Amino acid sequence: MKRLTISFISFLTALFGWGQTTAIPVYLDETKPIEQRVEDALARMTLEEKVAMCHAQSKFSSAGVPRLGIPENWMSDGPHGIRPEVLWDEWDQAGWTNDSCTAFPALTCLAATWNPEMAALYGNAIGEEARYRNKNVLLGPGVNIYRTPLNGRNFEYMGEDPYLAARMVVPYVQGVQSNGVAACVKHFALNNQEQYRQQVNVEVSDRALHEIYLPAFKAAVTEGKAWAIMGSYNMYKGQHCCHNQYLLKDILRDLWHFDGVVISDWGGVHNTQEAIYNGLDMEFGTWTNNKDWGDSNAYNAYYLANPFLRLIREGKVKEDALDKKVRNILRLAFRTTMNSKRPFGSFATPEHAAIGLRIAQEGIVLLKNSPLTPKKTDVVLPVDFNKTKKIAVIGENAIKIMIIGGGSSSLKSKYEISPLEGIKQHVGDRAEVVFARGYVSDQLNKKGEIKHDGMFINDAIDARSRDELLSEAVATAKNADLVIFVGGLNKYNGQDCEGSDRKGLELPYEQDKVIAALAKANKNLAVVIISGNATAMPWVNDVPAIVQTWYNGTEAGNALGAMLTGEVNPSGKLPFSFPVKLEDVGAHAWGDYPGAKANGGIHERYNEDIFVGYRWFEHRKIKPLFAFGHGLSYTSFAYGKAHISAPSLSEGETLTVSLPVRNTGTRTGKEVVQLYIGDEQSSVVRPIKELKKFLKIELQPNETQEVSFTLSVEDLKFFDENAQQWTAEPGKFKAYIGSSSSDIRQTVGFELVKR
Ligand code: GLC
């Protein structure tokens, strides 16, 4: 038999010349190492083709090499979903009818899940949508640290703690890129506010840079293996971050060995020489004619377009500077558009909506749920349908379109379940649900329609006065068994939106007045705040139940309805602290937010240094309104005694901290067990404690799980500015284990020794 097979194959070989592979060019041969393919493609490209690759050709695309079959690169916002198609050179939408996406929850919600599994689901699902829409670069996620609660874009990011953001960004990046789509992690770096975002020159210590502002980017690159990074608009050390020697070369390339592509923010390039030599690969923009805001379709005028070509032709710039960029861009192509094995994606599917719903359900945070009377059983949530036959839902945010707005992360979704719709669907026929608007936002009490991205939305306009709305709300509340107020911010300018910061911590549109009136009208009141930032709550002692939820996208209302009616037990934890007042925040008490004019520019000193968020509150012994990591459940958890595997450890060793956690309530619930490390003796000032481990577990009633964390010297280090490296000093340390940064249940001491 074997002989027969061999002779048959040799016959076919003779007949068809099989066995001699037709010689395909190396750059097209996927069996060849990628770097070999890069060099082969580079050698085949002309100077003009190489320069054309380094800058935009349209609002969201850059040239390929048609002659060689190398495709164009197509980028798309954003971190929460795939942006509707826009016109070639306009921000306005192209009016397609097949680009309504799944709007996933904002990344603050993802961070609030404290569940890396959710990040993996999220990344893969949004990567599938990008892939289906033929985008090979997703302009997200954003991981800028939450330094001030006024920052207009905090809703796009993952909170105030570098460790939480780092743990959550890695699976997201891996999920996106498993679809052959590059995650473009942004905005690198120190883009922590929108005020003066194009000019502000941030001055920050190396310690704060490395300990607070870089870790999430570092994790995305060194663990997530991100294929793209977006430079930020602001400046650092006097250079714009889109072409910043320190960030893009010294740190990103030399320290982290990043081999992906660096993309500018849109219009973030200001200097040809720096753009050529400081690590930028691709320039994208908005009508810049490389002098100022210029003509449409001015792409050949970009800094990395004709000016760059001319300098090379005149011999003033070596072609090698260009080749460095093109290698990174070709590597992007071979990882994405020219990877024939990548999947085909999927778009706006029920499965993606279900993933968005799961993430939203896991990210909603129950801040307060106090008993109405000392009996301690009559909490407001979840709704008790034995005594609740009429529910009044009050507040504009219960009906407000939230997927549109907020800037570049704005989306056109297939549908959006509002809080009111979601509450009605989950209440069903168990109670009557009535609605009163309660308040109206500025933009919506005028006639006419709201235009966003060129798209008109007739978003629940109401011309009534605030007094009319208030009296209607109070009357409605008085006649109900339960009142659910739904308010917060709304992604309009100054209310969680790119390009503008908030002016203060307070809720807008006189919501505090409405909430205070409702609390007087009916003690059975739950306040639901939708926002991407902390807000002031002067009524906090008058309201028995408070829920913090997020811009949760397509299934937002269903997630909230399921949580309020008890179908889902909340398990979210705050990814940032809630201050009582703005002056309690480091950036405002000690830092000089938003920066000030000096020497012809805007300069801002992050004086609070490493003390951001809970680090600041604990360092200054300021009690927050709600602490980082805080979040209640409809059940309760008991933490048993913590044990440590050894009294000390040294370099190269690990030790384990473990403890039993039990569900002491009557229903299944999830708990995020958090471990913080405090350095008891250090030569430099350090925070009281810093998050270094966490684990989300699900427990049945009365179930106990042994939770273990393995610690190494890495978890004890700080960034030594003199040595310019991470170091840990021998001495005593403490591990704090708890349900939030301010609810520590167990503490164990140990020592770092030199053996
Ligand atoms: C914007 C944003 C950036 C976005 C880009 C494209 O200005 O800063 O996050 O991806 O431009 O819309």
Side-chain angles (χ1 to χ4, degrees):
M1 183 56 193
K2 194 168 170 239
R3 264 211 312 277
L4 184 64
T5 313
I6 289 171
S7 59
F8 181 65
I9 287 174
S10 52
F11 163 71
L12 286 178
T13 303
L15 186 65
F16 297 107
W18 278 358
Q20 301 128 16
T21 46
T22 44
I24 60 170
V26 167
Y27 77 98
L28 293 177
D29 182 348
E30 292 188 270
T31 65
K32 292 285 188 293
I34 197 166
E35 294 315 313
Q36 215 179 320
R37 297 175 66 193
V38 165
E39 292 309 319
D40 182 52
L42 186 69
R44 296 169 187 265
M45 290 170 67
T46 66
L47 178 63
E48 292 73 11
E49 288 168 340
K50 291 193 278 191
V51 170
M53 270 197 153
C54 297
H55 63 86
Q57 65 174 6
S58 77
K59 190 61 76 191
F60 283 99
S61 74
S62 61
V65 187
R67 181 175 60 83
L68 298 176
I70 298 174
E72 298 168 336
N73 285 300
W74 279 88
M75 324 276 171
S76 174
D77 291 310
H80 309 147
I82 307 308
R83 184 172 187 157
E85 201 66 23
V86 295
L87 296 171
W88 182 261
D89 185 47
E90 303 293 336
W91 288 115
D92 282 358
Q93 293 186 27
W96 287 13
T97 54
N98 61 351
D99 58 352
S100 295
C101 70
T102 305
F104 295 96
L107 294 193
T108 32
C109 177
L110 177 60
T113 69
W114 287 59
N115 188 347
E117 288 170 26
M118 292 297 112
L121 281 174
Y122 195 129
N124 182 58
I126 196 172
E128 286 179 333
E129 301 231 344
R131 175 68 189 94
Y132 182 85
R133 289 265 282 104
N134 277 320
K135 308 300 180 184
N136 68 309
V137 180
L138 174 73
L139 302 175
V143 287
N144 292 101
I145 287 295
Y146 180 118
R147 171 178 180 253
T148 163
L150 305 188
N151 178 21
R153 295 186 81 173
N154 277 334
F155 72 96
E156 293 186 52
Y157 306 148
M158 298 191 190
E160 73 185 30
D161 183 84
Y163 180 80
L164 175 62
R167 293 306 99 219
M168 297 304 285
V169 73
V170 169
Y172 180 112
V173 167
Q174 292 167 335
V176 170
Q177 298 187 163
S178 66
N179 290 281
V181 173
C184 181
V185 187
K186 67 188 186 181
H187 305 85
F188 189 63
L190 298 165
N191 181 189
N192 306 103
Q193 65 193 52
E194 289 302 285
Q195 179 81 9
Y196 307 139
R197 69 170 174 165
Q198 304 265 1
Q199 305 92 357
V200 67
N201 179 40
V202 173
E203 293 170 33
V204 65
S205 75
D206 288 350
R207 265 197 79 192
L209 179 72
H210 285 275
E211 290 188 24
I212 303 295
Y213 297 102
L214 291 186
F217 289 102
K218 179 178 178 183
V221 167
T222 59
E223 297 174 56
K225 304 297 178 202
W227 294 336
I229 286 278
M230 183 190 291
S232 59
Y233 282 129
N234 55 285
M235 300 174 84
Y236 168 61
K237 290 184 186 281
Q239 287 182 357
H240 278 94
C241 292
C242 287
H243 32 79
N244 188 292
Q245 157 87 24
Y246 310 97
L247 294 172
L248 299 180
K249 293 186 73 174
D250 300 353
I251 291 174
L252 187 60
R253 298 286 179 192
D254 297 351
L255 203 55
W256 298 347
H257 309 300
F258 175 65
D259 69 354
V261 65
V262 174
I263 294 170
S264 78
D265 203 337
W266 267 237
V269 179
H270 302 273
N271 176 309
T272 295
Q273 289 299 319
E274 288 186 9
I276 292 170
Y277 292 111
N278 284 4
L280 176 67
D281 297 313
M282 300 173 88
E283 175 184 4
F284 276 82
T286 309
W287 296 316
T288 172
N289 59 1
N290 131 8
K291 298 182 187 62
D292 52 19
W293 294 109
D295 312 325
S296 283
N297 283 305
Y299 299 104
N300 286 329
Y302 276 29
Y303 292 92
L304 288 184
N306 289 348
F308 188 21
L309 181 60
R310 196 167 36 254
L311 286 168
I312 294 174
R313 281 199 178 126
E314 291 165 0
K316 292 176 182 163
V317 169
K318 289 190 174 22
E319 194 161 343
D320 176 54
L322 168 63
D323 291 350
K324 282 196 176 84
K325 301 179 192 300
V326 176
R327 284 191 180 93
N328 294 327
I329 302 167
L330 287 169
R331 202 170 296 120
L332 172 70
F334 294 137
R335 286 169 166 165
T336 59
T337 50
M338 296 177 78
N339 165 10
S340 65
K341 296 180 185 53
R342 60 181 184 152
F344 293 97
S346 56
F347 191 68
T349 60
E351 292 77 12
H352 288 170
I355 286 169
L357 176 60
R358 268 188 73 185
I359 292 162
Q361 289 171 341
E362 285 226 12
I364 294 175
V365 181
L366 179 58
L367 292 177
K368 181 181 179 184
N369 196 26
S370 303
L372 290 166
T373 57
K375 271 196 313 182
K376 296 205 180 301
T377 54
D378 51 349
V379 290
V380 172
L381 295 176
V383 179
D384 176 353
F385 288 102
N386 295 322
K387 59 182 186 179
T388 303
K389 297 305 171 199
K390 187 172 186 178
I391 299 171
V393 177
I394 295 172
E396 180 182 272
N397 270 3
I399 58 170
K400 170 90 182 58
I401 289 177
M402 285 294 194
I403 286 172
I404 292 174
S408 58
S409 62
S410 175
L411 296 169
K412 175 170 81 172
S413 63
K414 209 172 169 183
Y415 62 91
E416 177 178 359
I417 304 292
S418 71
L420 180 60
E421 288 162 339
I423 290 167
K424 283 180 175 174
Q425 281 177 22
H426 287 79
V427 168
D429 57 7
R430 295 178 288 178
E432 181 193 2
V433 177
V434 295
F435 172 70
R437 190 185 195 105
Y439 70 92
V440 64
S441 50
D442 306 343
Q443 299 83 346
L444 290 178
N445 63 358
K446 303 182 188 71
K447 288 285 180 208
E449 295 180 318
I450 305 294
K451 179 178 175 188
H452 193 92
D453 275 355
M455 191 174 97
F456 284 93
I457 42 171
N458 185 5
D459 188 359
I461 288 159
D462 192 314
R464 286 180 292 169
S465 73
R466 291 201 195 287
D467 286 347
E468 285 173 295
L469 292 165
L470 180 59
S471 53
E472 178 196 44
V474 169
T476 307
K478 280 180 174 158
N479 295 328
D481 303 314
L482 170 67
V483 178
I484 299 174
F485 174 86
V486 184
L489 309 180
N490 61 14
K491 293 171 69 178
Y492 279 131
N493 281 339
Q495 302 301 342
D496 281 351
C497 183
E498 177 178 345
S500 62
D501 288 345
R502 289 195 292 156
K503 293 287 177 273
L505 207 53
E506 299 70 27
L507 288 175
Y509 320 127
E510 295 181 18
Q511 291 178 64
D512 290 337
K513 192 173 163 188
V514 179
I515 295 167
L518 295 177
K520 286 198 178 74
N522 190 327
K523 63 181 173 33
N524 284 302
L525 168 64
V527 168
V528 177
I529 297 296
I530 301 174
S531 73
N533 263 307
T535 53
M537 299 182 176
W539 33 263
V540 67
N541 297 323
D542 306 323
V543 173
I546 305 172
V547 176
Q548 171 64 33
T549 189
W550 319 99
Y551 303 116
N552 281 341
T554 303
E555 289 286 337
N558 279 330
L560 182 62
M563 178 262 171
L564 293 170
T565 57
E567 186 186 318
V568 165
N569 186 357
S571 62
K573 298 279 186 177
L574 288 178
F576 49 77
S577 314
F578 269 61
V580 171
K581 57 188 186 306
L582 194 58
E583 303 70 60
D584 289 349
V585 175
H588 298 268
W590 200 244
D592 62 352
Y593 171 88
K597 289 185 172 40
N599 314 323
I602 306 275
H603 295 270
E604 180 172 15
R605 280 172 301 285
Y606 286 11
N607 294 321
E608 76 282 6
D609 203 66
I610 56 174
F611 297 102
V612 174
Y614 67 92
R615 290 170 168 82
W616 171 266
F617 287 104
E618 295 181 354
H619 181 65
R620 289 300 182 103
K621 297 182 176 39
I622 298 168
K623 190 174 177 346
L625 182 63
F626 294 106
F628 171 79
H630 169 72
L632 302 176
S633 170
Y634 292 147
T635 186
S636 52
F637 300 96
Y639 287 49
K641 184 155 182 47
H643 296 280
I644 195 160
S645 58
S648 66
L649 84 163
S650 68
E651 188 68 52
E653 296 175 352
T654 60
L655 56 75
T656 304
V657 176
S658 56
L659 77 165
V661 178
R662 185 162 65 87
N663 179 343
T664 52
T666 57
R667 56 174 297 167
T668 300
K670 293 179 182 174
E671 168 69 326
V672 179
V673 183
Q674 302 159 40
L675 183 145
Y676 298 78
I677 293 289
D679 186 345
E680 302 288 294
Q681 305 157 280
S682 61
S683 63
V684 293
V685 66
R686 297 190 72 177
I688 299 292
K689 63 178 186 290
E690 300 177 281
L691 181 72
K692 292 297 179 186
K693 301 287 177 192
F694 62 86
L695 181 68
K696 190 166 201 176
I697 57 174
E698 181 170 46
L699 296 173
Q700 307 293 325
N702 220 18
E703 181 187 359
T704 297
Q705 181 175 329
E706 186 75 6
V707 174
S708 292
F709 297 112
T710 300
L711 294 173
S712 74
V713 179
E714 292 308 310
D715 300 310
L716 315 180
K717 291 184 174 180
F718 65 89
F719 187 80
D720 182 335
E721 291 189 327
N722 301 323
Q724 282 293 304
Q725 62 183 19
W726 289 84
T727 185
E729 292 171 337
K732 293 189 182 347
F733 288 82
K734 271 197 181 134
Y736 302 83
I737 305 103
S739 186
S740 85
S741 61
S742 67
D743 181 6
I744 296 302
R745 309 285 183 88
Q746 288 289 313
T747 305
V748 284
F750 61 95
E751 201 163 349
L752 173 62
V753 297
K754 275 192 184 317
R755 293 207 204 283

